[in-house]
Each structure stands twice: as C-alpha cells, then as structure tokens.
Amino acid sequence: MIQFIQNLIDAVALGSIYALVALGVGLLFGILRLINFAHGDYITIGAYALIVPSADVTARLLIGDWPWPVLIPTICLIVVIAALLTDAAVFRPLRRATSPTLMIASFAVSYIIQNGVLMAYGSRPKSVDLWSGANSQVFIGDLRVPMLQLITLAVTLVLMVAVTLFLRRTSYGIQMRAAAEDFRMAQYLGVRGNVVIGIAFAVSGILAGVVSLLYTTQSGSLSHVMGVPLALFAFVAVVVGGMGSLVGAVVGGFVIGITVTMLQAYLPPDLRAFRDAFAFAFVILVLLVRPAGLVPSRSTFERV
C-alpha cells in the first residue's frame, strides 16, 4: 500500500508538470485555434537562460546563480519576451490563416529556436545543478517524498488558481474568455484581438518559464530538444481533456501523467521500454469512448 501511494504521488507530480504545459497550450488554442508546438521550446529557452553560453558538458550557472526571488521573475520575463517576439514575427501576420497553416508555422518556429540554441550552446547535453536542496526527502509517516514534488504540486495549484482568477475577475481575462467563445463577435463588441492574443502568449510564457525551472531542477540536465516531449504530451493532454477547454487541458495533463507513471511502475519489466506505446493506446481508447474529450468545450465556434 505504501508503494502504491508513493507511485501515486509521483504520478500526480508528473501530471502537474504536464498540466501546466497543457494549460499554456490550451490558452492559445482557445483563442487563436493554434496548437503551438513551439511552446515546448519556450521551456527550453527558459532552461538555457540559466547558464552561460558554452559548449562545455558541465554548465556554468549565470542567472541560475541569482537569488530565487530575482531568478524566477527574470526567467519568466525572458520566456514571455520570446513568446511575444514569435507572436509578433510569425503568428500575427498569419492571424487570418487556417489552423493547419498556423500549426505548420509553429513547427517552423520550434525548429528555429532549437537551432538557435544549438548555435549558442552546442549539441551536447549539459548537466545543471539548480536548487539541489529541493531534491531532499521529506518523511510523511512511512512515505519518503522528494521536496521537489511537494513544491511542484503547490506551484501548480497556485498557478491554476491564479489563472482561474485572472480569467474570471479581470477585464482582460473576461475578454480572453469572450474571444475563446466567439472571436469575431468579441471583436465586434470592442475586444482588441491582438491585445488579447498577446496576453495569452504572455500568460503561456509565464507558465513555460515556471515549468522550465521545475523540470530543470528535477532532471538536472539540459538538451536543445528537452521541451519537445513535454509539448507532445501536452498536446495529447489537450486532446484527451477536450480541445478548447482549459479545465479539460488540466485534467488531461493529470490523466497523462498518472497513466505514464503507473505504467512505468506496474508493467512487466520487459514491457516498460514500450511504456509510451501503451500510454498512447490508452489515449486512443479514451477518445473512442469520448471523442470530444473528457471535459469538452461548450464553444463550437471557429476562429475567424
């Protein structure tokens, strides 16, 4: 029983990471009908901003050496600027393009960012010692829980509450919700589309910046493609949860995280190498039962 609870805590912690990434992806999809595969590369930018540009295997911390009250907002600001720049340079000129065109553009942005990281830092993965104290063990009865998992859960809860309050209690949040329901009608009623979309990119950038710090602390290594698997699983989480539903994106993130962790824990040893295949098979089963996702969006309007 203790082992099951331990595995469940690990699963929820991983699900928290996926939920935060899926929330950033879902925000943009709700308004712009854009599945932004470059979102994972925003996470990569936040992670690499911690270190000095170098081809060395062992990274030297730059911003990563700053006190955490300064480090966290600085990394988030860097990622937000990167997100807004990609919006201004690529996605804004394509506002009236079709969703497939926007998705292809996001792939292009992703590869540009990855190659930019390669040019500045080289292709070799780098080891990073960021907040190593966060990986200490906390004993809860017979359970041994890494402090980082508790931090991840707490940060995820705080950010989800903050995003919810922003969307429900602020004028810009209400405009974002209106744009997600019917983009054209919201514009007719005075909502400035570029401003709302820019805010969505900024919020998704903040979420990506936080994920970059949590994920780097957990993995202890950097790679120019480190954000790609996160973006892929986030996309799957958005589909499973329900396209266009932020609640669904969060639920999908937790479902994917729990599924992957439990498969890793309970599959026979010979089959654990195929964990992701079983996870995606589970996703197919879910979609066969609920094609619209676990928490389908009430909006059926397309972006115009």
Side-chain angles (χ1 to χ4, degrees):
M1 186 62 182
I2 294 296
Q3 186 60 44
F4 174 78
I5 296 175
Q6 182 68 65
N7 291 332
L8 184 61
I9 293 173
D10 295 342
V12 173
L14 180 61
S16 298
I17 296 290
Y18 289 154
L20 287 178
V21 183
L23 185 57
V25 173
L27 274 172
L28 290 178
F29 180 83
I31 298 174
L32 197 56
R33 293 299 184 264
L34 163 66
I35 291 293
N36 186 15
F37 283 98
H39 188 81
D41 299 285
Y42 299 157
I43 296 172
T44 303
I45 289 174
Y48 272 89
L50 294 165
I51 65 174
V52 176
S54 168
D56 298 337
V57 175
T58 302
R60 290 179 293 138
L61 293 178
L62 180 62
I63 298 177
D65 262 341
W66 295 2
W68 69 265
V70 180
L71 185 155
I72 295 174
T74 301
I75 292 298
C76 289
L77 179 62
I78 290 172
V79 179
V80 166
I81 291 173
L84 291 176
L85 286 176
T86 57
D87 175 44
V90 179
F91 298 117
R92 183 175 294 182
L94 297 175
R95 285 286 191 259
R96 296 187 178 277
T98 62
S99 295
T101 300
L102 289 170
M103 185 174 66
I104 295 301
S106 76
F107 274 117
V109 171
S110 174
Y111 278 105
I112 289 171
I113 293 175
Q114 289 174 29
N115 282 274
V117 172
L118 282 174
M119 292 171 62
Y121 296 92
S123 61
R124 301 164 70 180
K126 302 179 184 299
S127 59
V128 176
D129 183 16
L130 178 68
W131 298 336
S132 56
N135 289 305
S136 60
Q137 302 287 325
V138 176
F139 290 88
I140 305 175
D142 293 331
L143 290 175
R144 291 183 299 172
V145 183
M147 176 68 74
L148 181 60
Q149 291 187 348
L150 299 179
I151 294 173
T152 300
L153 293 173
V155 169
T156 300
L157 179 61
V158 169
L159 288 177
M160 288 179 181
V161 171
V163 171
T164 300
L165 291 176
F166 172 75
L167 292 175
R168 294 184 179 276
R169 301 293 178 86
T170 68
S171 61
Y172 284 120
I174 293 171
Q175 291 179 46
M176 288 173 63
R177 291 168 57 200
E181 289 291 328
D182 189 336
F183 194 86
R184 175 182 286 178
M185 182 58 68
Q187 287 182 307
Y188 287 156
L189 295 175
V191 173
R192 291 178 294 176
N194 285 335
V195 173
V196 168
I197 292 172
I199 293 173
F201 268 97
V203 174
S204 68
I206 292 172
L207 295 173
V210 172
V211 171
S212 70
L213 294 173
L214 293 173
Y215 192 69
T216 301
T217 305
Q218 178 181 353
S219 65
S221 64
L222 303 179
S223 166
H224 69 285
V225 293
M226 63 183 290
V228 174
L230 293 175
L232 175 61
F233 278 107
F235 169 66
V236 173
V238 170
V239 174
V240 170
M243 300 289 280
S245 170
L246 294 184
V247 174
V250 172
V251 171
F254 279 107
V255 168
I256 295 299
I258 291 171
T259 301
V260 168
T261 304
M262 289 304 183
L263 286 172
Q264 181 67 32
Y266 294 107
L267 278 176
D270 293 341
L271 295 179
R272 288 176 184 171
F274 308 101
R275 176 199 66 185
D276 289 349
F278 284 98
F280 284 110
F282 172 75
V283 168
I284 293 174
L285 290 177
V286 171
L287 294 178
L288 288 174
V289 176
R290 294 184 66 87
L294 297 174
V295 188
S297 172
R298 292 176 296 177
S299 172
T300 58
F301 295 103
E302 289 294 326
R303 182 189 65 87
V304 176

